[in-house]
Amino acid sequence: MQMISKIQPTRSDVTEFPPTGRGEFAGKGVLEPGKLASQRNGKWVRRTHAFLGIVSAFNLLLLISTGFLLQHASLLKLDEKTIPRTILPLSYRPQDGAHGVRADIFVADLHSGRLFGIAGALTLDVITLVWLALLTTGLVMYVGKRHAKQKALDGNASLDDEE
């Protein structure tokens, strides 16, 4: 008769190997191999997307509101109203006189960026590029998520085949 001591490890304790299946990683709070790198890569894309979205939201709000005003200029009778010179930049349309500028012209120039001259037009060009970056980062995030889901599905299918 052989006696087994309680301090001796059992066979399963001695031969414990690191987890190999995808489900084992999630249960123990351990990241899958390669997942840490993909999380780091995805993090800057999400942060860039969020920052650009917040910054460009103000311009988008301006474009939406001025576009709406231009669309309904006749209904709102903007051609009969004037914007006083006191709130306009000094160099803006001096040929229109000292009284002010017609509201429809002002709204169109604000919408296009011409209100602030070359700087305004260049600012709108930069914001257009920001929107392009938003589109690109959004697509990168979308494709990355789809790729990760597909990879997970393929991994689960191969695990099922092994069993």
Side-chain angles (χ1 to χ4, degrees):
M1 183 164 173
Q2 194 177 18
M3 294 192 60
I4 300 175
S5 168
K6 288 187 176 182
I7 9 178
Q8 288 181 334
T10 61
R11 177 122 172 96
S12 64
D13 292 335
V14 173
T15 59
E16 190 172 317
F17 293 106
T20 57
R22 291 183 187 278
E24 296 175 59
F25 285 106
K28 297 189 180 191
V30 178
L31 290 174
E32 294 177 29
K35 184 129 181 163
L36 183 61
S38 78
Q39 280 185 346
R40 272 192 231 127
N41 291 339
K43 197 173 199 177
W44 74 268
V45 173
R46 285 191 306 276
R47 284 185 176 173
T48 302
H49 185 80
F51 175 75
L52 294 177
I54 290 168
V55 169
S56 67
F58 297 113
N59 187 357
L60 187 58
L61 181 63
L62 177 75
L63 287 175
I64 289 170
S65 57
T66 55
F68 181 82
L69 290 172
L70 288 173
Q71 186 71 24
H72 302 287
S74 61
L75 179 67
L76 298 170
K77 299 179 180 168
L78 292 181
D79 57 339
E80 298 173 8
K81 298 175 176 137
T82 59
I83 306 296
R85 281 269 170 218
T86 56
I87 64 170
L88 296 173
L90 296 174
S91 62
Y92 177 65
R93 296 183 65 90
Q95 71 272 19
D96 287 355
H99 181 61
V101 178
R102 277 189 6 214
D104 60 335
I105 295 171
F106 171 77
V107 171
D109 287 348
L110 183 59
H111 184 80
S112 67
R114 289 186 305 246
L115 178 70
F116 300 105
I118 293 173
L122 288 175
T123 301
L124 280 182
D125 289 344
V126 167
I127 290 175
T128 301
L129 294 175
V130 167
W131 285 340
L132 182 62
L134 276 173
L135 175 67
T136 305
T137 55
L139 286 173
V140 166
M141 289 187 300
Y142 174 76
V143 169
K145 277 190 176 186
R146 289 203 36 125
H147 181 69
K149 282 182 183 178
Q150 186 63 40
K151 204 171 183 182
L153 289 175
D154 292 345
N156 288 338
S158 66
L159 287 176
D160 291 341
D161 293 342
E162 291 174 6
E163 293 174 359

